[in-house]
Amino acid sequence: MPQQYPLCAVVGSDDMTLALLLTTISPEVGGVLVRGEKGTAKSTTVRALATVLPPIEVVAGDRFSSAPGETSPDGAWGSDAETETRPVRLVELPVGATEDRVLGSLHLSKVLADGVAEYEPGLLARAHRGILYVDEVNLLHDHLVDLLLDAAAMGRSTVERDGVSVAHAARFVLVGTMNPEEGELRPQLLDRFGLTVEIAAPRDPQLRAEVVRRRLAFDADPDAFVESYADAERALTDRIAAARKLLPEVELTDAVLTKVAEVCAAFKVDGMRADIVTTRTAIAHAAWNGRTHVTRADIRQAALLALPHRRRRNPFDAPGLDEELLDQILGDEEPDPEPPLPPEPDPEGHDDGSSEQPESMTPDQPDESDTDDSGRHENPRSEPSDSMTSDEPTDVESPGDSRPSGAGQTSVIGAADPYKVKRFEVHGTGAGESGKRSRALTSNGRRIGADPTGNGGLHLIETIRAAAPHQQARGRQGGRILFQDGDLRTARREGREANLVLFCVDASGSMAAKKRMEQVKTAILSLLLDAYQRRDKVGLVTFRADGAEIALPPTHSVDIAAKRLADLPAGGRTPLAEGLLTAAEVLRVERVRDPRRRPLLIVITDGRATHGADAVARSRQAAAWIAEQHTSSVVVDCEQGPMRMGLAGQLAARMQATHLPLAEVSAQALTSMARAA
């Protein structure tokens, strides 16, 4: 078995290591989510954690890692059951795992060969009393996310499928790692992680050199390198065991509870889970440091780990916590380690001021973590600056305009609050990744038939039906049914798939009027939010002046798309043909790279083409070429005013695309129109 890199040898991941240790000391904290750029030893640190955890005692022969006194599908074990000691398991959940592998299902070989319906445990059963690790957790399929949510909430896994009805304990420490550039996590699963940590590679050259030095030493002689850290690893194991033993003795006073509540209320977190997790983390931190009372430092560290990801109001909000505000709330005094005495009534009715809230805790306190170094808010929904006050376009051009390319000034306009949009779908039935946009044959969804081969779960009825006509020829004399490989049938299911949504945005001078550009950016922001909720991949192509630009290559991160959108300038001529051809090239490359993900092209323009002598003819050719590729497309018409040329409608006809006025992108607007009609 290959050697595992020692946890004590990891450099520059102190916050991540502390969060992992605290949640293993007190599993009720709820697990850890690690967000960070690639190449920061996230996976290495998680895998090293299992090697330093104290071993556990399990019932001998039990497939569910039950402790003495627990009940599992293998039996009800008494306290005198035969036990064995083994290391804590680190179970890795692959992003592409199936429901059968996660939950468990029928043991197929025993069903088909012996006619015995026996349950085969899945990964959740194997992870009981251990660590369940999901690398790239933000790319996990929605149906697997739902399974994790149920297990994390109940501490049990229930299987009701294929004639199997089994329930077993599934209490584990959930650890997920992710790169935010590849997409965000569903809010429901994000809230289930007790703690979150942002990690980045060290910027200190000395630390970076030490990382490389240790890694090279490990690769050259793993055994010697691991042995050099053996004493430190054993000391860490002993400290974890001591902290677990001390944990029940840590005293939780009313003063600590009040201070935690003040912190959570000041940062306006949703629900009460934040208070509970922060309190449990503070207790675990006190035990980790060998104390039986919670201090100000324990609460501060707990808040830094438990609150940042609970302050986000929508997917485009940046996570983070204002540490200066946190220090103001905590104050300089330590929470009273002794239970407070009941307050004596003041006969004169004076208030000693102990319940007053500091000014920094008022609800209107701005959060400095949402601004960059210049003080400008990074939220793409922020209001435009004072320099963006003109309601007129900076460079409105007509098809006959002869001014030099790129003439005129550019401006950057902000977006308003996003709204619910109409759902756009790709035509036909696909077979892509599970999502929530277009119809597709997927691994989950409603069962619509059976196939001799496929990726779906076993279709038991159809398998028996396929074998039944051949029983006499196979020499069956009674008893169990005789099966052969050709009898196997899998379920064919229809659900929804995720798509590639590519935005092709006109950012020319004719779009630069403040009101129009604000409406356009708000529509795109709303469509991005819709893409996030439907688990789509998104990309952004813009065209203005004398060419087109791939502002964002296709990615799962709508956060990055929203930031690029916020900084999108407008002005100059309209190279419509270049924009369409660039979008078509992006789609061509993505078809080769990810052929199962069907694209949806959304072109946002007023239909004008003003760059070049043959601008109109070339844009028509580009539109016809996109139509020949049978790409599902939508043209969002941004033309406004009483005198309209209808160019966007003509463009949509040539592209064989859906034509939709900008005002009708909103689902609410469509509903109002239908009611009026």
Side-chain angles (χ1 to χ4, degrees):
M1 184 175 179
Q3 290 280 17
Q4 175 62 51
Y5 194 87
L7 182 63
C8 294
V10 177
V11 177
S13 300
D14 295 344
D15 289 343
M16 176 181 174
T17 302
L18 177 62
L20 292 171
L21 292 174
L22 293 181
T23 197
T24 53
I25 291 171
S26 178
E28 293 80 7
V29 165
V32 180
L33 173 66
V34 183
R35 297 162 44 95
E37 57 195 31
K38 51 187 175 292
T40 49
K42 298 187 296 293
S43 299
T44 299
T45 305
V46 174
R47 295 188 177 104
L49 174 66
T51 62
V52 299
L53 295 180
I56 60 173
E57 187 179 27
V58 299
V59 175
D62 184 83
R63 297 176 297 166
F64 300 86
S65 302
S66 300
E70 285 188 340
T71 299
S72 79
D74 284 352
W77 309 111
S79 57
D80 58 346
E82 182 181 354
T83 62
E84 60 185 8
T85 300
R86 65 162 178 79
V88 171
R89 286 176 179 162
L90 174 70
V91 179
E92 297 194 34
L93 174 60
V95 171
T98 62
E99 281 189 45
D100 292 346
R101 189 70 188 96
V102 177
L103 285 178
S105 186
L106 285 175
H107 198 300
L108 286 182
S109 61
K110 291 189 177 181
V111 169
L112 298 179
D114 303 329
V116 177
E118 181 177 317
Y119 171 69
E120 183 177 14
L123 295 178
L124 294 183
R126 183 173 175 79
H128 178 48
R129 302 178 65 198
I131 301 171
L132 183 63
Y133 173 45
V134 189
D135 193 14
E136 305 296 349
V137 64
N138 51 323
L139 304 183
L140 198 64
H141 291 176
D142 280 354
H143 63 288
L144 298 183
V145 170
D146 294 336
L147 298 179
L148 289 183
L149 288 174
D150 290 341
M154 306 301 296
R156 296 186 65 79
S157 175
T158 303
V159 183
E160 297 285 352
R161 56 185 302 162
D162 300 331
V164 174
S165 179
V166 174
H168 62 82
R171 297 186 301 274
F172 46 79
V173 174
L174 180 61
V175 178
T177 56
M178 60 175 282
N179 183 351
E181 295 180 358
E182 297 174 346
E184 284 298 331
L185 200 61
R186 276 178 57 182
Q188 295 91 334
L189 184 56
L190 180 64
D191 189 54
R192 288 295 178 184
F193 283 99
L195 311 178
T196 185
V197 178
E198 296 280 341
I199 187 171
R203 300 296 182 242
D204 184 355
Q206 297 299 326
L207 285 179
R208 297 176 73 94
E210 182 62 22
V211 171
V212 176
R213 186 180 299 111
R214 295 188 184 187
R215 186 71 220 189
L216 293 178
F218 175 77
D219 293 340
D221 191 348
D223 293 334
F225 186 83
V226 171
E227 181 61 28
S228 67
Y229 285 91
D231 291 341
E233 295 275 285
R234 282 192 292 269
L236 183 57
T237 301
D238 294 340
R239 186 176 176 183
I240 294 172
R244 287 179 175 177
K245 185 177 180 181
L246 185 62
L247 188 70
E249 302 178 17
V250 177
E251 187 176 15
L252 182 62
T253 65
D254 288 344
V256 170
L257 287 173
T258 301
K259 186 59 69 176
V260 169
E262 290 176 357
V263 171
C264 294
F267 283 106
K268 306 177 188 177
V269 295
D270 292 331
M272 295 300 299
R273 183 174 284 119
D275 301 63
I276 297 172
V277 172
T278 304
T279 302
R280 286 173 171 166
T281 306
I283 293 173
H285 192 263
W288 170 246
N289 287 280
R291 295 190 301 270
T292 58
H293 63 277
V294 178
T295 67
R296 175 182 179 276
D298 298 325
I299 300 175
R300 186 182 193 278
Q301 186 62 65
L304 291 175
L305 296 175
L307 299 186
H309 61 299
R310 293 187 165 87
R311 296 186 57 252
R312 305 186 72 182
R313 290 298 182 268
N314 65 64
F316 306 135
D317 290 342
L321 207 66
D322 186 348
E323 295 192 31
E324 291 185 4
L325 175 58
L326 176 61
D327 290 335
Q328 291 176 14
I329 299 167
L330 291 175
D332 298 328
E333 297 182 0
E334 293 289 347
D336 188 356
E338 300 296 333
L341 297 175
E344 296 183 3
D346 188 345
E348 299 182 4
H350 295 301
D351 189 350
D352 60 2
S354 60
S355 61
E356 290 183 359
Q357 191 179 45
E359 292 183 4
S360 60
M361 295 170 58
T362 57
D364 296 332
Q365 177 74 24
D367 184 1
E368 297 175 4
S369 63
D370 290 340
T371 60
D372 59 16
D373 293 339
S374 63
R376 178 177 57 84
H377 283 266
E378 295 181 348
N379 191 321
R381 299 185 288 109
S382 59
E383 292 294 326
S385 65
D386 294 339
S387 62
M388 310 169 193
T389 56
S390 174
D391 288 339
E392 299 299 326
T394 56
D395 187 14
V396 180
E397 302 165 297
S398 63
D401 196 337
S402 60
R403 284 181 293 175
S405 173
Q409 297 179 347
T410 61
S411 62
V412 178
I413 308 297
D417 291 334
Y419 47 74
K420 183 176 178 61
V421 299
K422 175 184 177 181
R423 183 175 72 187
F424 301 111
E425 296 186 21
V426 177
H427 305 308
T429 302
E433 300 292 339
S434 179
K436 294 185 177 182
R437 183 171 296 278
S438 307
R439 290 177 54 192
L441 298 178
T442 59
S443 59
N444 62 323
R446 64 186 184 93
R447 191 160 57 189
I448 61 173
D451 293 319
T453 58
N455 297 324
L458 173 67
H459 198 314
L460 187 58
I461 301 299
E462 293 297 328
T463 300
I464 295 175
R465 183 175 295 173
H470 309 290
Q471 295 305 297
Q472 185 175 358
R474 294 174 183 174
R476 180 188 177 194
Q477 301 296 325
R480 65 184 181 84
I481 299 177
L482 302 179
F483 292 95
Q484 293 183 357
D485 291 342
D487 301 329
L488 182 64
R489 297 291 185 271
T490 57
R492 184 168 68 250
R493 299 179 181 274
E494 183 179 275
R496 294 279 175 180
E497 69 175 357
N499 299 110
L500 165 62
V501 180
L502 180 63
F503 296 92
C504 184
V505 182
D506 184 349
S508 63
S510 61
M511 303 284 290
K514 176 183 176 184
K515 182 176 180 181
R516 180 183 297 187
M517 201 58 185
E518 180 180 301
Q519 291 176 341
V520 168
K521 285 194 174 183
T522 302
I524 301 174
L525 190 66
S526 303
L527 290 167
L528 282 173
L529 181 59
D530 181 70
Y532 165 81
Q533 294 169 342
R534 301 188 188 282
R535 314 304 291 165
D536 292 321
K537 219 172 171 183
V538 296
L540 179 62
V541 172
T542 64
F543 55 95
R544 56 176 291 272
D546 56 356
E549 175 189 7
I550 303 176
L552 179 69
T555 175
H556 285 282
S557 179
V558 296
D559 274 357
I560 297 179
K563 291 176 182 177
R564 301 286 171 86
L565 175 67
D567 298 331
L568 178 65
R573 294 181 180 272
T574 310
L576 178 58
E578 285 76 2
L580 295 177
L581 292 174
T582 301
E585 177 62 16
V586 171
L587 295 180
R588 185 193 68 80
V589 172
E590 284 300 308
R591 283 192 184 99
V592 176
R593 181 178 298 166
D594 192 358
R596 297 180 65 233
R597 189 181 294 272
R598 298 188 296 160
L600 174 64
L601 175 61
I602 300 181
V603 181
I604 303 176
T605 181
D606 57 8
R608 297 186 183 188
T610 63
H611 173 63
D614 55 349
V616 175
R618 289 189 298 109
S619 64
R620 291 174 178 175
Q621 293 173 357
W625 191 82
I626 290 177
E628 292 175 1
Q629 308 307 309
H630 304 290
T631 301
S632 294
S633 306
V634 177
V635 175
V636 178
D637 189 349
C638 301
E639 191 175 25
Q640 297 176 345
M643 301 297 293
R644 303 191 182 189
M645 303 175 64
L647 298 177
Q650 298 174 22
L651 176 66
R654 291 189 178 90
M655 291 176 57
Q656 298 180 10
T658 301
H659 175 249
L660 190 70
L662 179 62
E664 297 180 20
V665 173
S666 167
Q668 183 177 2
L670 294 175
T671 303
S672 300
M673 291 174 58
R675 289 175 179 172

